[in-house]
Amino acid sequence: MGKTLAEKIIDAHIIEGQAEKGTEIALRIDQTLTQDATGTMAYLEFEAMGIPRVKTERSVAYIDHNTLQSGFENADDHRYIGSVAKKHGIYFSRPGNGICHQVHLERFGIPGKTLIGSDSHTPTCGGIGMLAIGAGGLDVAVAMGGGAYYITYPEIVNINLTGKLNDWVAAKDVILEVLRILTVKGGVGKIIEYTGEGVKTLSVPERATITNMGAELGATTSIFPSDEITLEFMKAQGREKDWSPLSADSDAVYDKVIEINLSNLTPMAACPHSPDNVKKLDEIGKIKIDQVCIGSCTNSSLLDMLKVAHILDGKTVHPDVSLSIAPGSKQVLNMISKNGALAKMIDAGARILESACGPCIGMGQSPNSGGISLRTFNRNFEGRSGTKDGQIYLVSPEIAAYSAIKGYLADPREIGEMPEFALPDKFEINDNMVTLPECECNADKVNILRGPNIKSYPVTAPLKETILCKCSLKVGDNITTDHIMPAGAKILPLRSNIPEISKHCFTVCDPDFPSRAKKLEESIIVGGNNYGQGSSREHAALAPLYLGVKAVITKSFARIHKANLINAGILPLTFVDELDYDKISEGDILSIENTVEQIKAGDILEVKNIDGKYSFNVKLEVSDRQKAILFEGGLLDYTKKSLG
Ligand code: MIC
Ligand code: SF4
């Protein structure tokens, strides 16, 4: 039986476990990436492991998220990360060089290699046939130290593409269609693999838009084959030596096949407040808009910028609209500045932002009250823009630029025939904003520069024999990590200070939660389906850990967040009978007795609701390794112990 592409890369990197779907396997990791909002914590964890030099083929530390320096905190973090990188053998992409995923695709990604990154959109590099997976910071720290990365051997879903996109229909519309079909939880435990004749019609940046936003499906990753088009891209980046051809065997067997005919797609938008709330433009109508933001790791490539500049050429942004554009990398910004595309944007009235995440993570450009904002980003969770009642629609750059001129949500097909937008034979290559690490022989001379806002990892303790505490919070379905640990310009500078950032934990749902949980000292959170979807931020587990949360009981978990809870030593439990969710109220006293024995004996644990005077069963679906991590009180303690 032939193999899928994902299976081939997994099998070439598997170092523990069997190629058996649903079981835990360990992967050798070739490359890692971090960004600054998760990076400080990841490097504190790396330092705590006491390993002098990273053991990967390439590790890169990016500064792209916390670039707004409205106090000393972010600048201190940048300096800290830069010094750790220098000392420990990590490439350092300085602020201004661009968004981690865009730059990694351009300069570092290699087909067939494995990459884990402390950011959920790491699968972007699946666009060049890399097995690229988002993970918690601690998992990335372990991988930098030479440790394996553990995943559940995923099901492989094939999306077979046929046909060709019509003029002004974009890669964004492809992934929105996939989200419409599979929903934000349809990818959990799965790898999405793209094949078919339609693949040949998509350039690398278009493929990368699709794999990037595969994160919104909850998928482990998404991947395209590495073919002639990949070779052209790698050549133009001066990296053809890193290219190799990779594809699935013709008789590969997939767990599920979805057919999408690119020729049938039309422009779409994900409506507030979920990336899977997808509708065709004509279903939504010509709604009046207040703001347009173009950029983010999903849609900030040179190709995207060229299309935007073409649409804006000779026009003026509508008087009622604010248009901001953040090109994804220094390479993109430099090229559009030289070829005149940037001048067209400036002429039209666009507000040009630095090459960074910016508005995507609420770092500025929050819309006006109740404002309607079209964004080429990947997430439109409530409040993420920084304006609680902001109405965010996720769209292609083509829709965004055309609507910015019109003043309402407009269909770019009205423009008429689309010219051909080709990628250059040679990208502008200048890696001067990537600082190389100090050679190993001089590493001990490099001082680590710590700012006063950088606090250590929260205190952990081995799993308690009896957990007896109140339910401090009950929430519903699809709780995102933006609910659990909000981001935005005010809170992000606290990423390296868990005691302070914890004061914002779950405040989107309940402003009193942090003080209540702290007062209780120990507590349990109850949630619905797909709890923890969205980002990889381990702060969504570390803040609850700091606030004394011992277990989270839900109907189901998102993949990265579940791993982060385990890494933090918090029990991720699921209801055996979902009806028990309805019976629990906030404030109920719950007890789990003989935890260690119960966990050693199997997957089912008994929980007593002391107030309700009844018992119910929950499931702990983890591997034996993860049980051992939970017994130790988290991955850091477990790793320190196993390193002796
Ligand atoms: C996001 O898009 O939510 C982020 C900010 O990039 C996160 C990482 C973080 O919270 O720092 C992600 O996607 O993992
Ligand atoms: Fe940055 Fe937004 Fe991409 Fe996250 S999704 S890495 S915040 S651009």
Side-chain angles (χ1 to χ4, degrees):
M1 192 172 77
K3 283 186 186 174
T4 69
L5 172 54
E7 285 166 349
K8 287 184 192 181
I9 305 179
I10 290 175
D11 294 357
H13 287 83
I14 201 164
I15 46 181
E16 258 176 66
Q18 303 296 325
E20 219 175 275
K21 305 272 155 92
T23 63
E24 189 178 67
I25 53 166
L27 294 177
R28 180 169 44 79
I29 295 303
D30 302 319
Q31 296 192 347
T32 62
L33 72 77
T34 56
Q35 41 89 338
D36 48 333
T38 53
T40 315
M41 206 37 78
Y43 292 114
L44 287 170
E45 290 153 355
F46 179 75
E47 283 194 288
M49 285 188 279
I51 296 166
R53 199 90 184 156
V54 291
K55 296 191 176 148
T56 47
E57 291 173 16
R58 175 77 76 245
S59 286
V60 189
Y62 292 91
I63 305 294
D64 55 357
H65 280 62
N66 290 354
T67 54
L68 192 71
Q69 292 160 225
S70 54
F72 63 91
E73 295 88 348
N74 291 345
D76 278 3
D77 283 357
H78 301 168
R79 208 173 53 140
Y80 165 73
I81 294 172
S83 65
V84 171
K86 198 166 184 187
K87 192 176 184 74
H88 295 290
I90 300 153
Y91 284 52
F92 180 59
S93 174
R94 294 163 57 188
N97 199 42
I99 306 174
C100 55
H101 309 302
Q102 175 66 25
V103 178
H104 212 83
L105 185 79
E106 291 167 357
R107 307 303 305 141
F108 296 109
I110 298 178
K113 298 275 184 187
T114 51
L115 162 73
I116 65 166
S118 60
D119 192 282
S120 64
H121 291 101
T122 302
T124 311
C125 279
I128 53 168
M130 209 176 182
L131 194 79
I133 306 176
L138 188 44
D139 283 317
V140 176
V142 169
M144 285 192 283
Y149 179 59
Y150 292 81
I151 54 166
T152 306
Y153 202 111
E155 286 181 12
I156 318 282
V157 175
N158 175 218
I159 301 206
N160 192 47
L161 301 177
T162 51
K164 186 175 181 308
L165 290 173
N166 288 310
D167 284 1
W168 305 114
V169 183
K172 183 63 149 256
D173 299 308
V174 180
I175 187 62
L176 289 180
E177 172 69 358
V178 179
L179 273 154
R180 192 188 64 77
I181 299 169
L182 287 178
T183 79
V184 287
K185 54 179 194 288
V188 179
K190 301 183 174 75
I191 289 182
I192 314 292
E193 188 167 317
Y194 292 84
T195 62
E197 284 303 301
V199 166
K200 294 188 193 136
T201 68
L202 298 171
S203 65
V204 164
E206 290 173 305
R207 295 174 187 187
T209 292
I210 295 170
T211 53
N212 170 287
M213 222 177 148
E216 275 50 71
L217 300 163
T220 304
T221 190
S222 303
I223 192 164
F224 273 82
S226 167
D227 56 12
E228 288 299 310
I229 290 165
T230 322
L231 173 60
E232 287 313 308
F233 177 81
M234 300 288 286
K235 252 193 205 159
Q237 290 287 354
R239 301 202 295 122
E240 60 267 41
K241 62 169 189 358
D242 286 337
W243 179 79
S244 56
L246 292 168
S247 59
D249 291 330
S250 52
D251 56 346
V253 179
Y254 291 92
D255 295 290
K256 181 174 178 169
V257 180
I258 295 171
E259 299 284 344
I260 295 183
N261 185 343
L262 298 174
S263 317
N264 293 342
L265 297 182
T266 58
M268 285 179 270
C271 304
H273 297 286
S274 181
D276 62 359
N277 188 12
V278 174
K279 297 200 173 93
K280 291 184 177 167
L281 286 202
D282 27 341
E283 282 174 70
I284 306 168
K286 296 185 171 182
I287 50 170
K288 195 170 158 14
I289 57 172
D290 302 287
Q291 187 192 45
V292 174
C293 298
I294 297 175
S296 92
C297 55
T298 319
N299 276 118
S300 59
S301 67
L302 178 67
L303 192 69
D304 289 330
M305 294 298 133
L306 294 178
K307 290 182 181 170
V308 167
H310 173 84
I311 295 170
L312 295 180
D313 191 10
K315 311 276 189 323
T316 300
V317 174
H318 189 277
D320 298 338
V321 176
S322 161
L323 167 67
S324 71
I325 303 178
S329 67
K330 168 172 164 276
Q331 183 183 75
V332 174
L333 182 56
N334 207 0
M335 290 187 74
I336 60 172
S337 76
K338 289 183 180 168
N339 70 15
L342 181 62
K344 291 177 187 167
M345 297 172 180
I346 297 171
D347 266 348
R351 302 165 65 180
I352 307 299
L353 306 179
E354 71 173 317
S355 295
C357 300
C360 179
I361 188 58
M363 274 282 174
Q365 308 300 320
S366 301
N368 53 289
S369 298
I372 296 188
S373 177
L374 304 186
R375 300 179 161 210
T376 66
F377 308 165
N378 46 41
R379 292 188 173 141
N380 58 348
F381 304 144
E382 198 172 358
R384 183 176 157 101
S385 67
T387 301
K388 189 141 184 11
D389 58 359
Q391 306 290 309
I392 313 298
Y393 292 75
L394 306 175
V395 296
S396 67
E398 290 85 334
I399 297 176
Y402 188 56
S403 304
I405 298 162
K406 292 286 180 188
Y408 56 83
L409 179 65
D411 189 334
R413 289 175 301 177
E414 290 167 9
I415 300 171
E417 210 181 309
M418 187 177 82
E420 207 181 317
F421 296 100
L423 285 178
D425 296 337
K426 264 262 123 312
F427 286 94
E428 183 94 24
I429 296 161
N430 182 355
D431 292 326
N432 62 340
M433 290 298 278
V434 179
T435 307
L436 301 188
E438 189 61 64
C439 96
E440 209 166 343
C441 51
N442 281 331
D444 56 344
K445 298 200 184 80
V446 180
N447 289 328
I448 303 296
L449 308 168
R450 281 171 229 283
N453 185 48
I454 301 178
K455 303 283 186 257
S456 46
Y457 194 83
V459 178
T460 54
L463 186 65
K464 294 183 81 172
E465 265 307 319
T466 301
I467 297 176
L468 174 66
C469 56
K470 279 193 176 178
C471 164
S472 52
L473 185 73
K474 184 176 175 186
V475 288
D477 286 344
N478 289 321
I479 285 294
T480 72
T481 48
D482 281 284
H483 289 107
I484 306 173
M485 199 59 265
K490 291 192 197 104
I491 303 176
L492 277 167
L494 305 174
R495 281 292 180 92
S496 43
N497 187 338
I498 300 297
E500 275 308 309
I501 205 167
S502 301
K503 294 179 183 161
H504 302 273
C505 183
F506 265 121
T507 45
V508 180
C509 304
D510 180 348
D512 298 331
F513 172 74
S515 53
R516 185 167 63 243
K518 196 83 190 114
K519 208 149 135 210
L520 288 171
E521 288 178 10
E522 291 187 0
S523 69
I524 291 177
I525 292 173
V526 170
N529 266 310
N530 202 24
Y531 178 91
Q533 68 160 323
S535 109
S536 70
R537 62 189 73 146
E538 60 188 343
H539 303 75
L542 295 182
L545 166 69
Y546 179 81
L547 295 173
V549 174
K550 298 291 165 201
V552 181
I553 309 176
T554 68
K555 293 182 184 171
S556 67
F557 287 96
R559 179 186 69 88
I560 308 178
H561 185 62
K562 180 176 174 186
N564 284 340
L565 287 173
I566 296 167
N567 289 353
I570 298 174
L571 292 174
L573 305 167
T574 47
F575 290 100
V576 169
D577 181 350
E578 288 192 2
L579 292 177
D580 287 324
Y581 168 88
D582 300 323
K583 294 191 204 156
I584 299 187
S585 308
E586 207 172 280
D588 282 0
I589 299 176
L590 305 174
S591 115
I592 311 174
E593 288 159 17
N594 301 321
T595 48
V596 176
E597 253 166 65
Q598 287 205 67
I599 292 171
K600 278 187 180 157
D603 296 343
I604 305 292
L605 281 83
E606 188 193 37
V607 182
K608 288 183 187 151
N609 187 331
I610 311 279
D611 286 298
K613 297 191 178 53
Y614 69 93
S615 294
F616 60 96
N617 285 339
V618 291
K619 214 170 177 186
L620 178 66
E621 285 181 280
V622 297
S623 66
D624 287 346
R625 183 191 64 92
Q626 288 172 317
K627 285 184 179 179
I629 293 173
L630 288 165
F631 292 152
E632 286 304 324
L635 182 61
L636 199 56
D637 297 285
Y638 173 85
T639 309
K640 276 195 214 155
K641 198 169 171 191
S642 49
L643 290 173

